[in-house]
Amino acid sequence: MVLLIIILTSLASIWAFSNPSFFYKLDFQPYEINRNPLKEFYRFISHGFIHADWLHLIFNMISFYFFAGAIEAVFQSKFGSYAIPYFLLLYLGGIFLSVIHTYEKHKNDIYYHGVGASGGVSAIMMASVIYFPWEKICLYFILCLPLIFWAIIYLGYSFYMGRRGGGYVNHDAHFIGAIYGVIITLILDQHALADFIYKLGI
């Protein structure tokens, strides 16, 4: 499932790079959704399969691959035949719910457009924190910290930048996607919270 998502997202994004009509057919446009919700509702999901440029695509897909493989393996061991539906609920649910706030904020803004899988990637990343809090992640192969610390930094930064506003990065989607990832993981796996607390040594 992880490789399939990466392939589909990469193909759609690469095609969108040189095909504006395809890009604008799939991107997140709150104004268009507000005007015709039944016809345009799909944009809540479709925007997660296209990206703004090569750097955006590569960064998201590398991050997704790095964390999603472990989560897919955990879900397969814990949930069996439900692993794929639960994984999609985590990832696609993160993409969908992460832009609800953005929709409400920009539904009357004819110029707002958004793309990228960051909400889903954030959800996957935070699920990884629940299961592997002490796994060390190295930034540029130099600064190595446990995943739990990176998660705190990520959440704090995303929250602060979301309140600050400005720029072209949807920090609110990052933050909301991450929170969703924690909540849905704890709902799906009734033992996850106790295991997480145990791993933290509390």
Side-chain angles (χ1 to χ4, degrees):
M1 182 54 62
V2 172
L3 290 178
L4 178 60
I5 289 174
I6 291 174
I7 291 171
L8 290 176
T9 303
S10 298
L11 290 176
S13 295
I14 293 169
W15 180 253
F17 291 159
S18 57
N19 292 272
S21 60
F22 181 73
F23 181 94
Y24 290 117
K25 185 65 177 176
L26 297 186
D27 76 332
F28 187 66
Q29 299 183 39
Y31 181 79
E32 291 298 326
I33 298 172
N34 189 43
R35 286 182 59 206
N36 195 342
L38 291 180
K39 184 179 179 181
E40 304 290 336
F41 190 82
Y42 70 90
R43 293 181 184 274
F44 277 104
I45 295 294
S46 66
H47 77 274
F49 288 88
I50 58 174
H51 290 75
D53 51 40
W54 280 101
L55 183 62
H56 190 204
L57 171 64
I58 291 171
F59 181 81
N60 265 351
M61 290 301 96
I62 288 177
S63 299
F64 175 72
Y65 178 79
F66 186 84
F67 293 106
I71 292 303
E72 185 176 39
V74 169
F75 278 20
Q76 286 174 347
S77 67
K78 286 179 173 287
F79 306 126
S81 60
Y82 291 98
I84 291 178
Y86 284 1
F87 182 86
L88 291 176
L89 179 62
L90 174 64
Y91 181 66
L92 297 180
I95 290 175
F96 174 79
L97 287 176
S98 66
V99 292
I100 295 293
H101 174 71
T102 303
Y103 168 75
E104 289 296 332
K105 185 177 180 180
H106 293 283
K107 63 184 178 182
N108 295 313
D109 183 356
I110 193 173
Y111 299 107
Y112 184 89
H113 296 264
V115 294
S118 297
V121 174
S122 294
I124 293 288
M125 183 187 75
M126 293 306 294
S128 299
V129 175
I130 298 298
Y131 290 113
F132 312 105
W134 297 114
E135 185 75 19
K136 283 196 173 182
I137 303 296
C138 296
L139 182 63
Y140 301 121
F141 305 101
I142 299 175
L143 181 58
C144 298
L145 292 173
L147 189 52
I148 182 67
F149 292 129
W150 284 123
I152 293 171
I153 294 171
Y154 180 76
L155 286 172
Y157 177 78
S158 296
F159 182 81
Y160 169 75
M161 294 301 292
R163 301 290 75 74
R164 180 182 177 183
Y168 295 100
V169 177
N170 190 348
H171 295 286
D172 286 332
H174 294 180
F175 182 81
I176 295 170
I179 296 301
Y180 168 80
V182 172
I183 293 173
I184 195 63
T185 300
L186 297 182
I187 291 174
L188 294 176
D189 185 354
Q190 298 179 359
H191 303 289
L193 180 59
D195 292 342
F196 175 68
I197 292 174
Y198 176 78
K199 289 174 182 175
L200 291 182
I202 301 175

